């Protein structure tokens, strides 16, 4: 005797369909083609004078609660090496780089997308396409004062969803705009490009040659 009645079979089918559908929606897009091997480097291991303020490991972020369990920052090696060079170039001017975020697991990009309103979606990446952060080739950063160690005040706050975040925003003080532009000039002279809606976000050249990843910080040696 078959203990699975047609009705039960139908219920099992529906449940398995829902399980598969929901797991598809929480997985990174599948990318075809050839990609470089990932070589994520922990930034402070290359240069201890890079300062970290990993907002996503704190409650001081757009989610209002930590999304990282470890306050660490990584980039693909060529991008990380370029960053060290920029940090060196800034030192004679009295500044250092303050890092907010580098490589970001895809699951976190998905979370940001899901909680962000439609009108603010331009400030977050669509998980269907993944983010350049997911490839280990984007960095969110600002400057700190070498003498005081304090964060430099820019035209707007990190992750602020307003026009003050645009790199060509004309408001703020002259000093704030000059320092924002100094950061951009140094970054762009070393292979990075600013994102048109965020003065703090830069993509490294060749980002498309690396895959979207979902590896968690705790798994990176
Ligand atoms: Zn970013």
């Amino acid at each position: 005797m078959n203990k699975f009645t047609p009705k039960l079979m139908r219920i099992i089918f529906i449940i398995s369909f829902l399980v598969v559908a929901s797991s598809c929606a929480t997985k990174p897009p599948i990318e075809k083609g050839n990609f470089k091997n990932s070589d994520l480097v922990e930034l402070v291991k290359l240069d201890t004078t890079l300062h970290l303020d990993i907002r996503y490991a704190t409650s001081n972020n757009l989610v209002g609660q930590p999304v990282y369990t470890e306050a660490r920052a990584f980039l693909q090696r060529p991008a990380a090496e370029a960053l060290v060079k920029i940090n060196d170039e800034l030192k004679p001017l009295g500044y250092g780089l303050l890092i907010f975020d580098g490589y970001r697991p895809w699951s976190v990009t998905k979370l940001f997308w899901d909680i962000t309103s439609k009108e603010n979606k331009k400030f977050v990446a669509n998980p269907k396409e993944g983010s350049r952060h997911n490839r280990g080739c984007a960095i969110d950063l600002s400057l700190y004062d070498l003498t005081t160690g304090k964060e430099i005040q820019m035209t707007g706050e990190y992750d602020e969803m307003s026009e003050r975040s645009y790199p060509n925003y004309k408001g703020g003080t002259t000093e704030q705009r000059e320092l924002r532009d100094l950061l951009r000039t140094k970054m762009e002279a070393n292979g990075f490009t600013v994102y048109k809606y965020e003065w703090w976000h830069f993509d490294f050249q060749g980002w498309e040659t690396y895959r979207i990843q979902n590896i968690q910080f705790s798994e990176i040696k």
Side-chain angles (χ1 to χ4, degrees):
M1 191 184 79
N2 188 349
K3 61 181 177 176
F4 292 114
T5 63
K7 192 179 173 192
L8 186 59
M9 290 296 283
R10 216 165 34 240
I11 291 169
I12 290 171
F13 174 79
I14 291 167
I15 289 172
S16 17
F17 174 81
L18 288 173
V19 166
V20 170
S22 67
S23 71
C24 283
T26 55
K27 276 186 186 156
I30 295 163
E31 299 180 283
K32 294 205 172 99
N34 293 320
F35 292 90
K36 284 184 186 152
N37 288 332
S38 178
D39 186 13
L40 290 172
V41 179
E42 186 154 17
L43 299 178
V44 293
K45 285 188 182 164
L46 280 193
D47 182 350
T48 53
T49 65
L50 290 167
H51 280 194
L52 299 186
D53 180 10
I54 308 300
R55 298 282 180 89
Y56 299 141
T58 73
S59 299
N60 181 16
N61 64 49
L62 62 115
V63 184
Q65 58 185 32
V67 294
Y68 294 161
T69 53
E70 298 177 14
R72 300 167 75 192
F74 310 84
L75 281 180
Q76 297 293 351
R77 188 171 297 276
E81 287 172 349
L83 209 65
V84 170
K85 182 169 173 279
I86 296 161
N87 197 40
D88 284 341
E89 288 177 11
L90 285 164
K91 280 177 189 162
L93 305 173
Y95 303 105
L97 291 175
L98 176 66
I99 313 298
F100 299 127
D101 195 28
Y103 163 70
R104 180 184 303 161
W106 179 88
S107 58
V108 175
T109 292
K110 171 85 166 62
L111 173 71
F112 290 169
W113 179 261
D114 291 344
I115 64 162
T116 302
S117 66
K118 199 176 170 191
E119 68 268 22
N120 281 331
K121 286 276 201 260
K122 68 181 171 214
F123 293 105
V124 290
N126 186 336
K128 277 187 190 157
E129 284 138 35
S131 152
R132 292 159 195 191
H133 281 289
N134 303 152
R135 301 176 193 274
C137 288
I139 183 94
D140 296 339
L141 80 178
S142 186
L143 300 174
Y144 73 90
D145 185 310
L146 275 187
T147 315
T148 65
K150 285 196 177 142
E151 180 181 351
I152 294 294
Q153 188 68 49
M154 294 295 193
T155 45
E157 297 296 320
Y158 172 54
D159 265 351
E160 180 178 324
M161 294 185 180
S162 86
E163 61 174 9
R164 301 202 315 165
S165 299
Y166 302 170
N168 58 359
Y169 174 63
K170 300 283 187 282
T173 66
T174 306
E175 190 186 8
Q176 286 169 356
R177 289 192 302 275
E178 279 175 2
L179 290 170
R180 178 195 65 192
D181 296 347
L182 168 68
L183 174 65
R184 179 177 176 176
T185 304
K186 288 290 177 193
M187 294 294 283
E188 293 196 332
N190 288 283
F192 289 89
T193 309
V194 76
Y195 179 51
K196 64 178 177 176
Y197 297 121
E198 298 174 345
W199 59 260
W200 61 82
H201 175 110
F202 294 86
D203 297 312
F204 191 61
Q205 61 196 11
W207 58 266
E208 66 283 347
T209 60
Y210 292 92
R211 271 188 193 285
I212 291 168
Q213 294 191 81
N214 203 17
I215 184 173
Q216 302 301 306
F217 289 0
S218 57
E219 300 172 78
I220 306 175
K221 295 286 175 286

